[in-house]
Amino acid sequence: MKRFLAAIDWVSEKSGKGVSFFIILLAAVVLYEIVSRYFFNKPTIWAHEVAQMIFGTYVILLGAYVLKQGSHVNVDSIYNRFPPRTRAILDLFTWSLFFIFCGLIFWMGTGMAWDSFVVRETESTSFAPPVYPIKAMVPLGALLILLQGLAKYLRTLRFVITGKEEGA
């Protein structure tokens, strides 16, 4: 079980660190547009859409990494007053909501991406880039976050049952 959880953590870590470099690409595209538009008076027809696609991919694929790091926003004013095991029991309940939500995103996103791929969907702009590769990121990101959620769920379940945190 530890190897399975470590493998999920490894995938989340590597994918997150790899995708984090997209922000540099995004900055380069935006900088190019700024220089082109304001210094040379030659705006592009592609920079805005490409920037949106890069940012969308960046956000979707970083979800698992952010979950692994525990960096999602939490409202802890009442939750932190409970003892650790009670918090873990509450977490088991909220994890079920998480799995339903992310499972729906995966399911619906897969259908959406497939339909887009079948028709080779493009944006309806003059630039007209293909959108099916970007839509494919939705189920991929959902799968990554579902796997990381499963790892966190199994660790929480172990803590509820044994009272021991991982590594203890």
Side-chain angles (χ1 to χ4, degrees), residues 24-97:
I24 296 168
L25 184 59
L26 175 63
V29 169
V30 171
L31 180 62
Y32 182 86
E33 173 63 13
I34 290 169
V35 170
S36 178
R37 177 179 300 260
Y38 294 107
F39 291 104
F40 300 110
N41 199 26
K42 300 268 189 205
T44 65
I45 62 168
W46 57 267
H48 178 71
E49 287 178 84
V50 169
Q52 283 182 319
M53 291 176 174
I54 293 169
F55 185 69
T57 301
Y58 174 79
V59 169
I60 285 176
L61 294 183
L62 277 178
Y65 178 78
V66 172
L67 182 60
K68 180 187 177 296
Q69 301 300 321
S71 298
H72 285 287
V73 175
N74 294 316
V75 180
D76 297 336
S77 56
I78 297 172
Y79 177 83
N80 282 337
R81 295 179 187 190
F82 294 118
R85 215 158 178 185
T86 303
R87 288 195 303 252
I89 291 168
L90 289 171
D91 286 345
L92 290 179
F93 170 73
T94 57
W95 279 116
S96 64
L97 299 174

Side-chain angles (χ1 to χ4, degrees), residues 11-20 22 53-67 133-134 136-145:
V11 168
S12 294
E13 188 77 22
K14 294 300 180 189
S15 66
K17 286 186 176 180
V19 169
S20 69
F22 281 28
M53 291 176 174
I54 293 169
F55 185 69
T57 301
Y58 174 79
V59 169
I60 285 176
L61 294 183
L62 277 178
Y65 178 78
V66 172
L67 182 60
I134 304 307
M137 296 302 110
V138 173
L140 177 60
L143 179 63
L144 290 172
I145 201 167

Side-chain angles (χ1 to χ4, degrees), residues 99-115 138-140 142-143 146:
F99 288 123
I100 291 168
F101 178 72
C102 288
L104 283 171
I105 291 174
F106 176 75
W107 180 260
M108 300 301 288
T110 300
M112 175 190 69
W114 178 253
D115 292 344
V138 173
L140 177 60
L143 179 63
L146 275 167

